[in-house]
Amino acid sequence: MKSKLLPTLPPIVLGSLIAFGPQTFAYPCPIHGDHPMPMVCHWTAQASLAVGLTIVMFGVVAFFVDARMRAGLSVAVAVNAIAELAIVLWLIGVCENPMMHCTSVMKPTLVVCSVLTLVFAAVAAFVDMKKN
């Protein structure tokens, strides 16, 4: 039981933060009347929802499989964490104004959660590969 917590609990918790952080406390910039189109941070939040839910799904599935399959799922979690970093930092990004909420709260939250997810997934994959 304890050997299953390392590869399953961090992806579930951090994936939830990646998915729901931008929907709650680390929200993107609102749509204003003078700017009727959503800003780029809105699309980053939408993409983060999909990537975060995928990470959560991999964490839940990892709880029910053997060590070799958990290692593969941990690699998949790491790839999704890298994808999330790319979305936030290069692919879509956030607003350029450093005073905007998306730049000061959303971006650091997603970057830290993604890096932590990547580290935990790499450790979990290494540990599960050593079991075989």
Side-chain angles (χ1 to χ4, degrees), residues 56-108:
V56 169
M57 180 191 66
F58 287 147
V60 170
V61 170
F63 189 75
F64 299 104
V65 296
D66 66 340
R68 290 187 316 174
M69 183 69 79
R70 275 197 312 271
L73 289 170
S74 293
V75 170
V77 167
V79 169
N80 274 281
I82 292 169
E84 178 63 21
L85 279 172
I87 287 169
V88 173
L89 297 176
W90 302 293
L91 295 177
I92 301 174
V94 294
C95 301
E96 293 181 14
N97 186 349
M99 299 303 290
M100 301 295 273
H101 189 266
C102 62
T103 305
S104 62
V105 178
M106 187 172 97
K107 181 178 179 179

Side-chain angles (χ1 to χ4, degrees), residues 1-17 55-56 58-63 70 74 77 116-117 120-121 124:
M1 176 72 165
K2 199 165 35 168
S3 67
K4 289 185 177 185
L5 289 181
L6 174 67
T8 59
L9 195 57
I12 293 171
V13 171
L14 293 168
S16 297
L17 280 172
I55 292 171
V56 169
F58 287 147
V60 170
V61 170
F63 189 75
R70 275 197 312 271
S74 293
V77 167
L116 286 174
T117 302
F120 278 113

